[in-house]
Amino acid sequence: MFSYFLQMKIGYICNQGNCVSGASNGVRMQALIWRDELVKRGHEVVLVNAWDVYDWKSFDIIHAFSFGDSISFLHQLKKRGIKIVCSPIIDSSENKILYKLATKWGSKKLRLTSPGYNLRQQSSNIDLFLARTEHEAGYIRDCFDVPKNKVAIVPLSYRSKNVVIDYSQKEDFCFHVSSITQPRKNVMRLIQAAAKYKFKLVLAGSTGSQSSFEPFKRVIEANDNLKCLGFISDDQLEDLYTRAKVFALPS
């Protein structure tokens, strides 16, 4: 649908609420990593700011990340002849029938809306959906009635420096990085396992609020083999990936 041999101007749209969690926000990070790669390939990527004014006809593609109120105007951009791409970021294990019913609950006249309802209303204006996994692609197709040919899978990427890893030099510790206090990340079980079986565990990432981190902090401080580094730089992340014998993602 889109040519990778032509230089394009691409606008990125994201929910403003994603800025609340700062640099650790996964949606923001995904968008920035993809932006960097597109810029390397000669494309121009504009991070759309609600306070700026744009010549929308100058864009070849508008790429919306996540969904909700931030995509409610895609039909207006579509009328200007712009191609629309959407990465909805659906992390759900909800029954698909119930999820689909929720996307149909709403009313334009009564101004009753929800993120799922907004996406369903705008789906016909979206030229291509990008999913990270087949699981997510299934929710897009089945819950929003999106044709299979309008959904492509683009796995999450990682900013790697292509370091050559010497596996004989790996260190004896387990590494995990995520939004540590989010229940769906399942980090507490990993911490409890490390405490019980006495293997060295190094954690990194967002620790959330002081109150949400407190239960994790108590277990970590009570065990010498547990360490939490909090939010770290890309260089530190690369170093830990390189040295760790095991990376655990119990999400």
Side-chain angles (χ1 to χ4, degrees):
M1 180 177 293
F2 308 116
S3 173
Y4 292 97
F5 301 101
L6 298 175
Q7 289 188 340
M8 295 182 292
K9 183 177 180 180
I10 305 164
Y12 275 14
I13 294 175
C14 203
N15 285 330
Q16 292 185 1
N18 288 332
C19 70
V20 175
S21 52
S24 64
N25 182 270
V27 177
R28 177 184 180 276
M29 192 173 295
Q30 176 182 337
L32 293 178
I33 291 174
W34 285 2
R35 176 202 61 179
D36 293 346
E37 188 60 36
L38 287 169
V39 170
K40 286 180 184 177
R41 294 170 182 258
H43 303 294
E44 179 185 358
V45 179
V46 178
L47 304 181
V48 175
N49 185 335
W51 298 100
D52 290 335
V53 177
Y54 299 95
D55 175 11
W56 293 106
K57 291 185 178 180
S58 69
F59 289 93
D60 298 292
I61 295 173
I62 291 295
H63 190 161
F65 288 84
S66 66
F67 57 99
D69 290 339
S70 63
I71 67 167
S72 60
F73 57 87
L74 292 183
H75 62 286
Q76 299 177 42
L77 298 178
K78 188 66 177 176
K79 290 178 180 178
R80 290 170 165 83
I82 304 171
K83 296 292 186 182
I84 307 292
V85 174
C86 180
S87 296
I89 320 294
I90 299 174
D91 292 317
S92 178
S93 57
E94 182 67 76
N95 179 283
K96 284 186 179 179
I97 294 176
L98 296 178
Y99 196 104
K100 184 173 183 176
L101 288 174
T103 70
K104 295 184 176 182
W105 189 90
S107 170
K108 288 184 178 180
K109 291 183 178 180
L110 297 177
R111 296 187 178 183
L112 295 175
T113 185
S114 68
Y117 180 78
N118 280 340
L119 184 58
R120 173 172 286 278
Q121 294 301 306
Q122 295 293 333
S123 62
S124 62
N125 299 306
I126 296 170
D127 297 281
L128 183 66
F129 286 84
L130 298 184
R132 299 157 296 169
T133 62
E134 177 57 41
H135 176 82
E136 184 181 16
Y139 273 83
I140 296 171
R141 293 191 302 262
D142 300 339
C143 299
F144 295 93
D145 299 315
V146 175
K148 187 175 182 179
N149 65 347
K150 287 182 62 175
V151 183
I153 296 177
V154 181
L156 282 177
S157 53
Y158 164 64
R159 281 177 284 196
S160 174
K161 298 176 183 177
N162 296 318
V163 175
V164 177
I165 298 175
D166 182 355
Y167 287 93
S168 67
Q169 300 300 311
K170 285 286 188 178
E171 298 177 24
D172 192 20
F173 71 92
C174 175
F175 177 54
H176 171 82
V177 57
S178 73
S179 293
I180 294 169
T181 57
Q182 288 191 19
R184 63 189 175 89
K185 299 299 183 181
N186 210 18
V187 181
M188 180 57 84
R189 288 194 67 188
L190 179 61
I191 291 174
Q192 291 170 339
K196 180 177 180 179
Y197 296 105
K198 303 303 179 184
F199 61 85
K200 187 176 180 180
L201 174 64
V202 177
L203 303 168
S206 172
T207 56
S209 66
Q210 184 175 348
S211 60
S212 63
F213 184 61
E214 186 59 36
F216 297 81
K217 182 180 179 181
R218 286 197 296 267
V219 181
I220 292 169
E221 291 182 345
N223 293 272
D224 294 338
N225 57 313
L226 306 183
K227 180 188 294 186
C228 183
L229 303 176
F231 193 75
I232 59 177
S233 68
D234 285 349
D235 287 340
Q236 290 174 299
L237 184 62
E238 188 85 46
D239 176 62
L240 287 162
Y241 273 134
T242 302
R243 292 190 291 113
K245 184 173 287 187
V246 172
F247 176 76
L249 187 67
S251 178

